[in-house]
Amino acid sequence: MVTSAGLWSVGDACVQSQSGQELDLNRAAFTFSYGGCFIGPTGYLWYKHLDSIVMSATRLKIGGALFITTKVAVDTLIFGPATLLGYMAGSGLVQGDALDVIATRIRLEFWPSFLLECAVWPAVQAFNFKLAPVRHQLLVVNTVAALDCAFLSWVSHERDTSAPWPQRLVERLRRRSNETSAGGDEEASK
């Protein structure tokens, strides 16, 4: 639980340090608590029992390619959305957002966030489930989750909800590119 809390905190602290604002202690406490009180215990139980859940449902041989593929699919489709929704809802509550604001943010941000996570986590978990002993699988997850938490922290605490985050990110990158181009044009004309 302490490792989960610490690694989740690192991701949020990195995002907060880049914002140029004072450290938000409520947000830091939420991320620490979410990692330690939710991800740590549920992740421990989830990874401890995932092999037996998949084996009893499929009768596949533990460690085989089809078993690992099934385990990755179950993890991606059950544990992934649960942790994502939990983080999004919890961070909204800690920020003092009304339930309708939280629901709107989840409606806007869940699918793009989940799809991006699906581009990362299945590969991580295939490696994890093939090579790491069950007792170390949560540690592998938590290590990668420091980066994932940075992403979730940015998505969940970004106050602009005018459009889903991919659209806002593309617009922000275009603006920076235009600013850089304009700055280069000004220097070239001197």
Side-chain angles (χ1 to χ4, degrees):
M1 289 187 347
V2 173
T3 303
S4 296
L7 288 169
W8 274 76
S9 295
V10 166
D12 178 62
C14 289
V15 171
Q16 286 202 53
S17 71
Q18 295 300 310
S19 73
Q21 297 175 353
E22 193 173 311
L23 180 68
D24 180 341
L25 293 177
N26 285 338
R27 177 174 157 178
F30 164 72
T31 305
F32 182 87
S33 298
Y34 186 78
C37 298
F38 179 71
I39 296 296
T42 59
Y44 170 78
L45 292 171
W46 176 253
Y47 294 114
K48 180 179 178 183
H49 297 292
L50 188 56
D51 279 354
S52 60
I53 291 167
V54 171
M55 190 181 72
S56 66
T58 64
R59 304 284 186 229
L60 295 170
K61 179 184 169 224
I62 291 180
L66 188 54
F67 179 83
I68 291 172
T69 302
T70 304
K71 191 173 170 180
V72 167
V74 169
D75 184 67
T76 301
L77 297 173
I78 296 173
F79 198 65
T83 58
L84 182 57
L85 285 169
Y87 189 88
M88 289 178 159
S91 66
L93 291 171
V94 166
Q95 292 179 92
D97 292 341
L99 293 179
D100 63 325
V101 172
I102 295 169
T104 298
R105 179 173 293 279
I106 289 172
R107 195 169 35 262
L108 274 174
E109 309 295 3
F110 176 79
W111 286 110
S113 300
F114 181 65
L115 292 174
L116 181 64
E117 293 207 348
C118 284
V120 175
W121 282 107
V124 169
Q125 293 296 55
F127 167 82
N128 188 20
F129 296 155
K130 179 68 178 168
L131 300 176
V134 170
R135 70 182 180 278
H136 296 305
Q137 288 176 358
L138 181 59
L139 179 60
V140 172
V141 168
N142 280 330
T143 302
V144 176
L147 294 173
D148 188 37
C149 180
F151 164 70
L152 291 176
S153 180
W154 174 74
V155 167
S156 296
H157 295 92
E158 175 79 13
R159 300 316 291 173
D160 180 4
T161 58
S162 61
W165 70 261
Q167 183 178 344
R168 293 191 320 263
L169 181 61
V170 168
E171 289 169 5
R172 187 173 297 151
L173 292 173
R174 280 188 188 139
R175 278 194 307 269
R176 283 190 184 165
S177 176
N178 290 340
E179 290 168 4
T180 304
S181 298
D185 292 343
E186 289 173 14
E187 288 184 26
S189 65
K190 290 182 183 179

